Amino acid sequence: DFVQRKRAMGRRYTDGLSGVHGIQLPPPQTADAQNIYWVYALVLDDDVDFDAEHAISCLAQAGVGCRPFFWPMHEQPVLRAMGLFEGERYPAAERAARRGFYVPSGLALTTAQIDTVVGAVRDLLR
C-alpha cells in the first residue's frame, strides 16, 4: 500500500511539473527498476541562474519545506578531516548536491498539498 501511495504521489508531481523549464524530474523507471518515489527529487538545469540552496529558501518563504540532496562523501568535513579523498573531485556528485533538492513526499501529504508544492515550484521557475 505504501509503494502504491508513493507512486501515485510521484505521478501527481510528475503530471504537475512536466514541461516546466529549468528542472529535471526523476525518471519513472530505468532499464533495471521502477521508481517508488521514496523521495521526489528535482535537479535544477545548468541554465537556471540560482542553486538548490536559493530554491529551498524561496520555497520555504512560500510555505514549502524542502531538503537539500545528500552532500558528496568527498566533501564531508569529517571524512576530509580524516585525510580521505584528498585532492579528489567528483563533478557529477558536486553538481547534484548543489543543484538538487527534495520536495515534500511524506505519506500523509494530501493531493491539495502536492498541488501547492507544484504551484510554488512553477512560480519559482517562471
Side-chain angles (χ1 to χ4, degrees):
D1 290 341
F2 292 147
V3 171
Q4 287 178 339
R5 172 75 179 123
K6 285 291 200 171
R7 285 187 173 143
M9 293 168 65
R11 282 190 301 275
R12 184 79 179 195
Y13 271 127
T14 299
D15 290 347
L17 294 171
S18 290
V20 173
H21 176 77
I23 54 171
Q24 176 185 341
L25 305 179
Q29 63 188 38
T30 66
D32 302 317
Q34 200 173 18
N35 199 332
I36 65 166
Y37 300 101
W38 169 61
V39 292
Y40 198 89
L42 300 177
V43 179
L44 297 169
D45 290 342
D46 290 333
D47 63 350
V48 173
D49 64 357
F50 52 84
D51 62 11
E53 183 178 349
H54 180 78
I56 291 168
S57 175
C58 290
L59 290 168
Q61 290 176 11
V64 176
C66 298
R67 293 180 314 183
F69 274 14
F70 295 99
W71 211 250
M73 288 181 61
H74 71 288
E75 293 184 350
Q76 293 282 336
V78 68
L79 299 176
R80 294 184 82 141
M82 294 170 63
L84 301 173
F85 303 109
E86 192 168 325
E88 295 182 38
R89 299 241 11 251
Y90 298 93
E94 293 164 14
R95 180 184 177 279
R98 287 162 179 78
R99 313 259 338 137
F101 60 98
Y102 302 109
V103 294
S105 60
L107 285 169
L109 211 58
T110 66
T111 299
Q113 289 170 320
I114 292 171
D115 293 345
T116 297
V117 174
V118 166
V121 171
R122 286 180 158 278
D123 289 347
L124 174 68
L125 292 166
R126 284 182 198 211

